[in-house]
């Protein structure tokens, strides 16, 4: 079920965040290999400029990562689209995201009608993301914690999305993936990683595939306010 968030052109305040500018981003994603129309529609619908600082709003529909404070970034739209496509292959309902950050990826998942759980270790980022979810009327469950332990009480999840990079897949997260589900995560060194798709079959056997080279901020331990 798609969520509709039609805004009047003048309500957007700036030509740089208009529907035309968003449509151009979607055209670019299509040209760079994103095929799933549900994903393209979600990206067309979710106002990415509301997930960055006002000073960066005019750059929100460029296909680029942008700073969100605390040394963190909102992921590049192409990467969000690629991860979301891979996640949808498993036809999930309940999904877990590690690394809420700006909240944008979680909002894209919610716009697709999924039941979203998201975990963030930096309290201030999570508080800001929650305000955005509320303002957009999105019912997203979130937790301030070290996401490397996952969210066992609410699991298992039909899909898991890790949006920060680690040297290896995190066992606790693979364990919370339901049979038939996909886990998508960037794995590798600090400078660059491979985006991995792990699939758990009905018998619990896992297979792995590399989707694309990516660059994410690191998955860190512990929590901060
Ligand atoms: N999905 C985000 C991307 C944010 S960048 C978005 O759409 O904006 C990655 C985020 O992961 C950062 O906010 C960082 O603080 C968070 N992170 C890093 N390690 C973490 C951990 N162990 N648990 C939870 N969040 C973590």
């Amino acid at each position: 079920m798609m969520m509709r968030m039609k805004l009047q052109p003048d309500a957007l305040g700036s030509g740089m965040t208009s529907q035309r500018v968003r449509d151009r981003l979607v055209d670019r994603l299509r040209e760079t290999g994103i095929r799933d129309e549900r994903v393209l529609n979600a990206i067309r619908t979710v106002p990415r400029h509301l997930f960055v600082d006002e000073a960066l709003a005019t750059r929100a529909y460029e296909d680029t990562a942008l700073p969100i404070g605390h040394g963190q970034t909102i992921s590049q739209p192409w990467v969000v689209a690629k991860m979301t496509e891979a996640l949808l292959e498993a036809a999930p309902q309940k999904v877990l995201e590690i690394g809420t950050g700006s909240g944008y990826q979680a909002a894209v998942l919610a716009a697709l009608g999924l039941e979203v759980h998201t975990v963030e270790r930096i309290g201030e980022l999570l508080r800001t993301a929650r305000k955005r979810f509320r303002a957009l009327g999105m019912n997203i469950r979130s937790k301030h914690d070290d996401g490397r332990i996952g969210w066992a009480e609410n699991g298992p999840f039909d899909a898991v999305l890790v949006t920060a990079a680690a040297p290896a897949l995190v066992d606790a997260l693979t364990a919370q993936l339901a049979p038939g589900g996909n886990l998508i995560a960037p794995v590798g060194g600090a400078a660059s990683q491979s985006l991995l798709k792990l699939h758990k079959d009905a018998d619990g056997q896992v297979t792995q595939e590399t989707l694309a080279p990516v660059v994410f901020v690191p998955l860190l331990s512990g929590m901060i306010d």
Side-chain angles (χ1 to χ4, degrees):
M1 205 198 353
M2 267 317 277
M3 189 182 321
R4 292 277 163 215
M5 282 180 286
K6 280 249 166 69
L7 298 175
Q8 296 305 311
D10 48 340
L12 291 164
S14 158
M16 293 304 287
T17 58
S18 67
Q19 195 58 57
R20 192 165 42 86
V21 173
R22 297 186 204 190
D23 289 345
R24 229 180 290 151
L25 169 63
V26 170
D27 290 343
R28 188 191 150 90
L29 295 176
R30 216 190 285 277
E31 284 160 16
T32 50
I34 305 301
R35 295 273 172 269
D36 193 317
E37 289 298 327
R38 296 167 296 175
V39 175
L40 293 167
N41 252 315
I43 287 182
R44 187 182 287 114
T45 314
V46 177
R48 191 168 183 261
H49 66 283
L50 301 183
F51 290 82
V52 294
D53 200 80
E54 247 176 279
L56 288 171
T58 58
R59 300 193 54 200
Y61 298 97
E62 293 175 16
D63 188 21
T64 180
L66 293 168
I68 56 171
H70 301 269
Q72 307 304 319
T73 53
I74 179 173
S75 303
Q76 183 191 347
W78 186 85
V79 172
V80 170
K82 191 74 187 168
M83 293 182 93
T84 307
E85 261 191 352
L87 174 134
L88 287 183
E89 283 170 14
Q93 291 192 337
K94 189 164 76 169
V95 302
L96 174 67
E97 178 198 31
I98 305 304
T100 315
S102 67
Y104 178 69
Q105 170 78 70
V108 167
L109 297 173
L112 285 158
L114 303 176
E115 182 189 324
V116 184
H117 296 73
T118 183
V119 184
E120 170 59 52
R121 67 181 286 274
I122 301 177
E124 197 177 315
L125 289 179
L126 186 59
R127 286 192 290 278
T128 305
R130 281 173 174 160
K131 281 185 201 148
R132 292 170 177 144
F133 299 152
R134 220 172 299 134
L136 292 168
M138 288 179 158
N139 181 18
I140 291 173
R141 286 173 217 192
S142 63
K143 176 171 82 140
H144 182 204
D145 207 345
D146 181 343
R148 293 179 315 160
I149 63 167
W151 200 338
E153 310 88 278
N154 286 335
F157 299 93
D158 304 321
V160 178
L161 209 57
V162 186
T163 69
L169 289 173
V170 178
D171 289 340
L173 299 177
T174 309
Q176 288 171 35
L177 182 66
N182 285 348
L183 177 147
I184 323 293
V187 171
S192 69
Q193 307 91 33
S194 295
L195 189 61
L196 296 188
K197 177 175 84 177
L198 175 148
H199 178 73
K200 190 183 273 188
D201 72 16
D203 301 325
Q205 301 282 5
V206 298
T207 49
Q208 241 174 259
E209 192 185 313
T210 300
L211 300 179
V214 287
V215 181
F216 275 85
V217 295
L219 187 72
L220 300 173
S221 59
M223 317 152 58
I224 58 173
D225 288 343

